[in-house]
Amino acid sequence: MRKIPNHGTLRMTKVAYPLGLCLGLFIYVVYIKWHRASATQAFFTIAGAASGARWGQQARNSLGSAIRGHEVFYGIMFDAGSTGTRVHVFQFAQPPGETPTLTHETFKALKPGLSAYADDVEKSAQGIQELLDVAKQEIPFDFWKVTPLVLKATAGLRLLPGEKAHKLLQKVKEVFKASPFLVGDDCVSIMNGTDEGVSAWITVNFLTGSLKTPGRSSVGMLDLGGGSTQITFLPRVEGTLQASPPGHLTALQMFNRTYKLYSYSYLGLGLMSARLAILGGVEGKPVKDGKDLVSPCLSPSFKGEWEHAEITYRISGQKAGSLYELCASRVSEVLRNKVHRTEEVKHVDFYAFSYYYDLAASVGLIDAEKGGSLVVGDFEIAAKYVCRTLETQPHSSPFVCMDLTYITLLLQEFGFPRDKVLKLTRKIDNVETSWALGAIFHYIDSLNREKSPALK
């Protein structure tokens, strides 16, 4: 039997208590102190995840001066995109002296996007609450009050008139304030397009190990959403930096390093907005007199309706010659002088997400579940094949010729040669490749630099 050291006898009014009771009380006191210390450290860690929020003086006073120990903490990020609202519930662990590690993610998406409720903001609350319930199920009760809750809206709300977007965000904020989670004054906001691209770049480079391994080559990021498209990479050639137009370069501090990134978000060139432009429509404006939008990118015999941003359009194809050639000509008109081309993209490894993935999977270029790699020219081959078949027979999606042709020419405008390999994936190490994870990491790193002047 292991000998238990004698630390004296606990006495109260000169009454001696049994050894078993003493040990029980000792263990209970240790547990209470440990639990309180852990809660304080966890609160310090995750309160910093919502950078810039004002949590109140009482909360500030309870924060520790540094992150100590191997802590578990959570963060909730809502991605309010143009076609859907998604919640990411992240669980992290942070070993002493190391960067945080993602240990688990829960993801759920709902359609339509938040912008679809622009004229009836009350209806938006139901979906937000449903996603909040997901977070409640995934996060232990004891962590609710110290888990930051943030919503970032992207292109869908950026395209709305300012007053409508403001009312939607205010409604979401009301729902957030009524939740049991930690919310700040800036818990909901519209995300800058460049920040969206940079955060997605952080995500993919963290998951591929580039940010953890100094000197390892980083990878580029291509994202094609409904309302906007982003391209972000770390230039290695001085000429790229010198030739970049204003607004295409941004500085990023992460993990005690500074990165000068090439990053730009093209509002209006997301797939859904591009469809409308190719059809000849104008964002947010119904067609006068209910006339059809006619396009050479649709099957000649097609007639139907398409809803975009709560407006229903009547659309139809037109009889003509080669569908692909005519469609490519129209797409070229839409893209003309709108995209900056860089030579360096030829030499950087790129991951492509969102509609790049969806379109490639829909025509069998990659596995629908696992993703895969392809060359840029594969999109062109698929586009020509599908457009040719549409000339004589219908397809399950009337837009497949248009969408594939658009992606083909968009990548060429960026400067990608036809033999350039792209990696298409929804997940890396079973983690969604969205900007949400990168945004959380950026918040945590910013907090660390604020608390540790040596890291600035």
Side-chain angles (χ1 to χ4, degrees):
M1 179 180 291
R2 183 170 60 90
K3 184 177 180 180
I4 301 176
N6 183 7
H7 294 294
T9 304
L10 178 65
R11 295 180 181 273
M12 184 176 291
T13 62
K14 298 184 179 180
V15 178
Y17 288 85
L19 178 60
L21 177 60
C22 293
L23 285 173
L25 287 171
F26 175 77
I27 293 171
Y28 177 76
V29 171
V30 170
Y31 169 77
I32 291 297
K33 289 185 176 181
W34 171 85
H35 183 72
R36 287 178 178 173
S38 296
T40 300
Q41 291 172 0
F43 182 79
F44 170 79
T45 305
I46 56 184
S51 177
R54 298 188 294 274
W55 306 117
Q57 192 59 44
Q58 183 178 359
R60 291 180 188 277
N61 292 338
S62 70
L63 301 182
S65 60
I67 298 175
R68 303 182 183 91
H70 192 130
E71 295 300 334
V72 174
F73 57 98
Y74 296 83
I76 308 168
M77 181 66 74
F78 275 68
D79 170 3
S82 58
T83 58
T85 302
R86 307 111 189 163
V87 65
H88 299 260
V89 182
F90 297 111
Q91 182 191 72
F92 298 102
Q94 184 156 23
E98 299 182 18
T99 57
T101 299
L102 180 66
T103 52
H104 183 71
E105 180 204 23
T106 298
F107 170 81
K108 184 174 181 178
L110 293 179
K111 291 184 178 182
L114 197 59
S115 56
Y117 302 101
D119 295 321
D120 193 354
V121 296
E122 294 299 323
K123 285 186 177 180
S124 66
Q126 182 178 350
I128 297 297
Q129 188 59 57
E130 182 178 339
L131 295 178
L132 279 174
D133 290 341
V134 172
K136 287 182 180 180
Q137 293 171 8
E138 293 298 320
I139 300 173
F141 174 79
D142 288 348
F143 286 84
W144 285 2
K145 291 183 179 180
V146 293
T147 295
L149 173 61
V150 180
L151 178 142
K152 297 286 187 183
T154 55
L157 263 69
R158 289 200 293 268
L159 290 167
L160 283 179
E163 184 61 26
K164 287 188 175 183
H166 176 73
K167 288 181 179 179
L168 276 170
L169 294 181
Q170 284 300 111
K171 186 59 186 179
V172 173
K173 191 172 184 177
E174 288 178 18
V175 178
F176 277 15
K177 290 285 187 181
S179 79
F181 299 110
L182 185 63
V183 297
D185 292 338
D186 61 348
C187 59
V188 297
S189 61
I190 297 177
M191 195 177 200
N192 176 281
T194 297
D195 289 341
E196 185 179 346
V198 169
S199 293
W201 181 89
I202 295 171
T203 296
V204 69
N205 280 280
F206 174 80
L207 294 176
T208 57
S210 299
L211 291 181
K212 285 187 172 183
T213 309
R216 181 171 176 176
S217 295
S218 63
V219 297
M221 183 283 305
L222 291 167
D223 199 353
L224 180 61
S228 64
T229 185
Q230 291 82 33
I231 177 172
T232 305
F233 68 95
L234 179 64
R236 301 287 185 182
V237 178
E238 186 63 27
T240 301
L241 300 175
Q242 295 176 355
S244 296
H248 284 63
L249 297 177
T250 184
L252 167 70
Q253 285 186 294
M254 278 292 296
F255 304 151
N256 202 25
R257 294 182 63 188
T258 299
Y259 302 88
K260 195 164 188 179
L261 298 175
Y262 177 101
S263 184
Y264 199 76
S265 178
Y266 294 91
L267 185 62
L269 294 187
L271 191 65
M272 299 301 126
S273 294
R275 279 183 185 177
L276 182 60
I278 294 167
L279 287 164
V282 178
E283 200 77 52
K285 294 183 179 180
V287 179
K288 292 182 179 180
D289 303 322
K291 293 182 179 179
D292 285 12
L293 294 177
V294 181
S295 173
C297 295
L298 299 172
S299 171
S301 61
F302 179 80
K303 279 187 174 293
E305 292 184 341
W306 175 59
E307 184 177 330
H308 171 67
E310 288 197 302
I311 298 176
T312 300
Y313 301 91
R314 290 172 52 188
I315 58 176
S316 61
Q318 62 187 40
K319 295 181 179 180
S322 170
L323 199 60
Y324 175 79
E325 297 299 331
L326 291 169
C327 184
S329 177
R330 174 60 186 150
V331 170
S332 294
E333 292 175 10
V334 171
L335 289 173
R336 186 170 293 126
N337 299 323
K338 291 185 180 178
V339 177
H340 179 250
R341 179 175 301 199
T342 57
E343 290 295 316
E344 194 174 347
V345 298
K346 299 176 182 178
H347 311 294
V348 177
D349 290 335
F350 271 85
Y351 278 76
F353 311 129
S354 304
Y355 280 119
Y356 289 115
Y357 186 105
D358 295 342
L359 263 294
S362 71
V363 294
L365 293 177
I366 59 171
D367 185 276
E369 295 297 325
K370 299 178 182 178
S373 296
L374 50 69
V375 296
V376 170
D378 288 338
F379 279 114
E380 183 177 16
I381 293 171
K384 289 180 177 179
Y385 174 79
V386 170
C387 292
R388 186 168 62 250
T389 59
L390 277 182
E391 294 174 7
T392 58
Q393 57 186 352
H395 190 277
S396 58
S397 170
F399 291 104
V400 66
C401 170
M402 179 189 295
D403 293 347
L404 288 169
T405 303
Y406 176 70
I407 286 178
T408 296
L409 296 180
L410 177 64
L411 291 172
Q412 291 177 12
E413 287 295 309
F414 279 138
F416 291 100
R418 286 176 171 80
D419 62 352
K420 176 66 180 179
V421 176
L422 299 179
K423 297 178 182 178
L424 276 64
T425 182
R426 283 199 182 114
K427 295 183 177 182
I428 298 175
D429 290 338
N430 208 34
V431 178
E432 292 286 334
T433 51
S434 79
W435 53 260
L437 175 60
I440 288 289
F441 269 105
H442 197 193
Y443 293 150
I444 294 172
D445 187 70
S446 297
L447 176 67
N448 288 342
R449 284 187 279 107
E450 289 175 7
K451 295 300 179 180
S452 303
L455 296 178
K456 292 184 179 180

